[in-house]
Amino acid sequence: MAAPYSPSPSPSHPTAAALVLLLLLLHVALLGKCAAAANVTFRPGEELRRYRRVQALLTRLNKPSLRTIQSPDGDLIDCVPAHLQPAFDYPRLRGQRPLGPPVRPSGHHRRPNHTADVGVQLWAVSGASCPEGSVPVRRITEADVLRASSVRRFGRVPMARVRRDTVAGGHEHAVGYVAGDEYYGARASINVWAPKVSTPTEFSLSQIWVIGGTFGNDLNTIEAGWQVSPQLYGDNSPRFFTYWTTDAYQTTGCYNLLCSGFVQTNSRIAMGAAISPTSGYKGGQFDISLLIWKDPNHGNWWLEFGSGELVGYWPSFLFSHLASHASMVQFGGEVVDTRAEGSHTATQMGSGHFPGEGFGRSSYFRNLEVVDWDNSLIPLTTFHVTADHPNCYDIQGGVNAVWGNYFYYGGPGRNVRCT
């Protein structure tokens, strides 16, 4: 958008922008002196360029809002007009507005007043909400961006996540999966924990992956679940998140709304916001239910949270393989192990306890289902479970009349058998 014309100021009266730039240069000079005193190489020009890149990114991500809500955990939630959200920066979405509700899969029963298994987002605990026609967007701060490895990689996962059939780049998994058919979605209920994460550059998550392509450069994924990531969010709270990529995490896709693509339609759920309450060891257990499916009418991939809350959709044109269907669905946990202390990380997966401890102690996925070609939810067949390092994080599956297909998973990471 072009700025309006502004007359030139008198030379004797510097503008506010000039004063800001002067203060920034003085700040850079001071940092340079401090760095010299500490015998550290400092490049003021590079710092200034980085500062400008950070500010440009914040301007692009933080859209004008109708209302701002202060969350108890310090987050600011901006109520952004739905047609101004980051999705509509995408070239093929510019000038459009969010689509109406899709056709839900048959066999899906909504429970609009049932909240016992949904969990609550902290920002909405006080009863605050966004006006109709707007969507809640977690505001991104300069500190958020500066925690990333680079401005360019902010909001993206390390590319080493590409392979799930090996332990690559320190990413370890305990997952259940189905493969060998055409899949049009998946559903599960996941209990939420607050696992310990040992260092800021590690994370622990539990999610659903909807996958197309191979585990090479053509990998397509749609992902949703909960995650503890100090580097991304600045704390150790479990947060509701989404992700997508169409080229194996290389240049496309991002978390939540940190790039254009995912179209949010919900005014009550904020992606990237903290979930509360969480499950307790030998205490109450709290689920979030997630459903991802491909709308048979328009072909877009929709996300539902809880018992009927449509969050939004990924347009089908974002993808290559997933433009038609998925070839694999995975459910489970993932941890990053940086071996920062020279041994296996103590970052926990799930509850931090092994699956053998069972209900109330171990983390679980229950009521696993997939969506078939006829837009129907069906039980899993030929379901497999696998763990990269079962001495660190393990998984045990089962089937019963109440939970259908389910599994317990997770672990403490470093222990006497995991070094």
Side-chain angles (χ1 to χ4, degrees):
M1 181 177 70
Y5 170 76
S6 176
S8 300
S10 165
S12 61
H13 295 85
T15 65
L19 288 173
V20 169
L21 183 59
L22 178 61
L23 289 172
L24 177 62
L25 291 173
L26 289 172
H27 179 66
V28 167
L30 180 61
L31 287 176
K33 289 180 180 179
C34 292
N39 198 28
V40 176
T41 302
F42 188 81
R43 299 178 177 84
E46 289 183 10
E47 291 300 312
L48 187 56
R49 285 191 292 273
R50 189 180 190 212
Y51 171 82
R52 287 171 174 164
R53 287 196 298 270
V54 170
Q55 298 308 310
L57 178 62
L58 294 176
T59 299
R60 179 170 61 82
L61 292 177
N62 294 321
K63 304 297 186 181
S65 64
L66 303 177
R67 178 185 301 168
T68 297
I69 299 167
Q70 175 83 52
S71 175
D73 60 356
D75 280 357
L76 293 176
I77 305 297
D78 290 325
C79 299
V80 175
H83 66 285
L84 297 181
Q85 64 179 289
F88 296 111
D89 291 339
Y90 198 89
R92 290 185 61 176
L93 290 172
R94 283 186 186 134
Q96 298 184 30
R97 290 178 179 268
L99 295 176
V103 177
R104 283 182 164 89
S106 60
H108 173 45
H109 303 290
R110 294 181 64 190
R111 295 167 293 165
N113 297 317
H114 184 77
T115 58
D117 67 340
V118 173
V120 177
Q121 293 198 298
L122 274 177
W123 72 274
V125 166
S126 66
S129 62
C130 284
E132 184 139 359
S134 66
V135 295
V137 179
R138 179 180 178 270
R139 186 182 300 180
I140 304 305
T141 67
E142 184 174 341
D144 290 331
V145 180
L146 293 177
R147 285 193 302 270
S149 58
S150 70
V151 177
R152 184 180 65 85
R153 293 298 301 176
F154 175 67
R156 303 180 188 274
V157 297
M159 288 184 289
R161 277 187 86 193
V162 168
R163 297 191 64 81
R164 292 199 176 81
D165 54 347
T166 62
V167 182
H171 293 257
E172 299 183 22
H173 307 84
V175 299
Y177 67 93
V178 291
D181 205 343
E182 295 183 359
Y183 305 101
Y184 295 83
R187 181 170 72 170
S189 293
I190 316 168
N191 66 337
V192 181
W193 297 81
K196 170 190 170 185
V197 174
S198 294
T199 70
T201 55
E202 296 180 345
F203 65 65
S204 180
L205 59 76
S206 297
Q207 68 171 61
I208 300 172
W209 290 264
V210 176
I211 301 170
T214 69
F215 285 92
N217 292 336
D218 67 336
L219 183 72
N220 289 200
T221 72
I222 288 172
E223 308 171 25
W226 62 261
Q227 174 186 45
V228 175
S229 177
Q231 184 177 69
L232 186 59
Y233 302 109
D235 63 19
N236 291 284
S237 298
R239 292 170 176 269
F240 171 54
F241 83 95
T242 63
Y243 202 93
W244 68 274
T245 183
T246 191
D247 64 353
Y249 308 98
Q250 295 180 91
T251 62
T252 63
C254 61
Y255 283 109
N256 306 322
L257 301 179
L258 298 181
C259 64
S260 58
F262 183 87
V263 180
Q264 184 163 338
T265 62
N266 192 288
S267 62
R268 295 175 294 277
I269 303 295
M271 292 191 294
I275 301 171
S276 177
T278 59
S279 299
Y281 187 72
K282 298 183 181 180
Q285 303 298 298
F286 297 93
D287 290 345
I288 58 172
S289 297
L290 298 173
L291 169 63
I292 301 169
W293 83 102
K294 190 174 180 63
D295 175 23
N297 288 343
H298 296 97
N300 302 316
W301 290 89
W302 280 82
L303 171 64
E304 181 184 282
F305 179 94
S307 301
E309 292 281 356
L310 289 174
V311 179
Y313 60 92
W314 294 268
S316 62
F317 62 71
L318 295 175
F319 305 101
S320 52
H321 298 284
L322 286 177
S324 55
H325 58 81
S327 55
M328 175 183 283
V329 174
Q330 292 187 354
F331 311 83
E334 178 182 351
V335 159
V336 168
D337 176 15
T338 62
R339 300 189 73 86
E341 299 176 1
S343 58
H344 194 283
T345 183
T347 288
Q348 299 172 334
M349 180 187 292
S351 68
H353 293 263
F354 284 113
E357 295 193 40
F359 184 79
R361 296 169 172 82
S362 181
S363 45
Y364 62 77
F365 278 63
R366 63 177 176 87
N367 298 118
L368 309 181
E369 295 177 296
V370 293
V371 180
D372 69 3
W373 64 272
D374 195 32
N375 198 35
S376 298
L377 278 161
I378 60 173
L380 307 185
T381 57
T382 61
F383 182 60
H384 308 278
V385 296
T386 183
D388 294 330
H389 283 308
N391 288 336
C392 308
Y393 315 107
D394 206 359
I395 183 169
Q396 294 178 4
V399 182
N400 65 33
V402 178
W403 279 15
N405 285 103
Y406 71 90
F407 60 82
Y408 290 100
Y409 71 103
R414 185 170 62 238
N415 63 79
V416 293
R417 295 183 299 135
C418 171
T419 58

